[in-house]
């Protein structure tokens, strides 16, 4: 079961992308809904945030400059991950890598192809609320 909220309010959403315009766009999309947006522009920062905060979901870019985004997915499956074991992952990419998806299918909730349209992020977050 996907748990999105704690005490009636939705937990923050984590966005991991090395393109700052994508981070800003998603935050801009979510701000009017009252959903907090935590941001990471690399895998190390993403993993640190996953250790510190209980989150609702992750929007994760496949291609990051520093390392493979699979490091984030490996952390989610690891024993070290205690806060965010069952959160859904929304893969974001301009190039959908089917091998990547196949290797990580157990963690992938949805695939969001870049460029995405206004409203798609909120639509996905709202669909997660309906699943919880």
């Amino acid at each position: 079961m996907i748990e999105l909220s704690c005490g009636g309010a939705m937990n923050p959403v984590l966005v991991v992308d090395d393109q700052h315009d994508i981070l800003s766009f998603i935050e801009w999309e979510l701000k009017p809904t009252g959903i907090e947006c935590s941001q990471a522009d690399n895998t190390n920062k993403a993993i640190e945030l996953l250790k510190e905060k209980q989150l609702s979901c992750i929007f994760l870019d496949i291609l990051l400059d520093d390392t493979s985004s699979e490091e984030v997915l490996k952390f989610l499956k690891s024993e070290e991950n205690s806060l965010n074991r069952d959160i859904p992952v929304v893969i974001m990419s301009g190039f959908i890598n089917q091998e990547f998806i196949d290797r990580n299918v157990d963690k992938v909730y949805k695939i969001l192809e870049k460029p995405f349209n206004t409203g798609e992020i909120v639509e996905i977050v709202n669909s997660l609320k309906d699943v919880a």
Side-chain angles (χ1 to χ4, degrees), residues 15-127:
V15 182
V16 184
D17 200 306
D18 53 4
Q19 295 180 346
H20 291 272
D21 58 333
I22 299 291
L23 296 173
S24 296
F25 175 78
I26 294 175
E27 182 175 41
W28 177 81
E29 282 279 296
L30 292 175
K31 192 172 189 166
T33 69
I35 298 168
E36 182 185 337
C37 182
S38 295
Q39 300 178 348
D41 60 4
N42 62 63
T43 55
N44 290 335
K45 187 173 181 182
I47 290 169
E48 286 305 311
L49 286 167
L50 286 163
K51 289 177 183 178
E52 295 170 5
K53 289 184 172 187
Q54 188 164 7
L55 301 160
S56 294
C57 70
I58 302 174
F59 286 87
L60 179 65
D61 187 19
I62 289 179
L63 300 174
L64 297 170
D65 285 341
D66 64 337
T67 58
S68 169
S69 56
E70 282 190 88
E71 294 302 313
V72 174
L73 295 171
K74 285 179 189 174
F75 174 78
L76 287 173
K77 298 175 190 178
S78 75
E79 293 296 320
E80 190 179 355
N81 174 20
S82 59
L83 282 177
N84 295 294
R85 184 159 307 280
D86 296 321
I87 63 171
V89 177
V90 177
I91 297 296
M92 305 183 298
S93 185
F95 173 73
I96 302 301
N97 179 329
Q98 192 59 47
E99 289 178 28
F100 176 93
I101 301 301
D102 291 344
R103 283 192 308 270
N104 298 290
V105 71
D106 61 322
K107 283 309 243 179
V108 176
Y109 172 75
K110 189 165 185 77
I111 299 168
L112 183 59
E113 195 166 353
K114 291 178 180 177
F116 31 85
N117 298 318
T118 302
E120 282 187 277
I121 301 298
V122 173
E123 190 175 298
I124 290 170
V125 171
N126 285 335
S127 73

Side-chain angles (χ1 to χ4, degrees), residues 3-11 54 56:
E3 185 176 322
L4 296 179
S5 61
C6 181
M10 186 166 181
N11 292 326
Q54 188 164 7
S56 294

